Amino acid sequence: MIIQAVASLLAAVAQAATPAPVPCSDEAYSDFDFWVGVWDVYSGDQLAGRNVITKEESGCLVLETWTSARGSTGQSYNYYDPAKDKWRQVWVSAGIFIDYEGGLDDQGRMVLEGTITSNTDGKVAPFRGQWAPLDDGTVQQTFWTYDAEADSWNIWFDGNYRRAE
């Protein structure tokens, strides 16, 4: 009886001393960290807007909060799905929804593929996005939509992220 009580007590102490695993701490959860920051986004020489990218929920979520130079806004939730071994982004704005997934390519670029949906007419098209960290500390972001009639991918947006001062 005493031996059983001591064994139970020792087991409880050992369990309490073992730290709980830290959620979202595997290396894959850091794949998109190069995008985290406050950015001024340029399309050519034109300021397109400001994007604030933060890590939330104990590092499990990369939250994007966009404000265009004209005042429109949008947000995305970006997360690593360990069951699929893929990153996923869901973007929502007053004009469009984007839902796509993918991961880092062999050059360290985040590449996602899925669909873009118009909120006004419900049209859906294949969509691709790429975020490329550059040697000068900027990030090049390029989006493409697929034109089924022409059987071609066309640039939808091409922007350069520069850290805001």
Side-chain angles (χ1 to χ4, degrees), residues 22-144:
V22 177
C24 305
S25 61
D26 291 342
E27 187 177 329
Y29 290 96
S30 299
D31 287 350
F32 225 162
D33 283 2
F34 66 83
W35 192 37
V36 174
V38 178
W39 305 91
D40 289 328
V41 183
Y42 290 83
S43 181
D45 292 333
Q46 251 341 70
L47 179 66
R50 175 158 286 185
N51 219 349
V52 178
I53 315 299
T54 58
K55 287 197 80 169
E56 306 291 338
E57 302 301 331
S58 300
C60 298
L61 174 69
V62 176
L63 176 65
E64 172 185 18
T65 305
W66 165 257
T67 304
S68 80
R70 296 181 184 164
S72 62
T73 61
Q75 293 187 31
S76 74
Y77 274 44
N78 303 268
Y79 61 93
Y80 173 70
D81 181 343
K84 291 183 173 183
D85 189 27
K86 289 186 178 186
W87 273 85
R88 181 159 181 217
Q89 181 184 96
V90 177
W91 164 270
V92 177
S93 70
I96 58 172
F97 299 131
I98 303 170
D99 189 353
Y100 48 178
E101 65 183 17
L104 291 180
D105 68 8
D106 60 359
Q107 295 179 16
R109 300 175 298 197
M110 182 62 70
V111 179
L112 306 177
E113 287 196 37
T115 59
I116 183 170
T117 304
S118 168
N119 293 349
T120 56
D121 62 14
K123 288 186 181 175
V124 178
F127 195 77
R128 288 183 180 159
Q130 175 181 282
W131 293 256
L134 304 178
D135 291 338
D136 64 0
T138 64
V139 174
Q140 193 69 31
Q141 178 189 59
T142 309
F143 296 134
W144 297 267

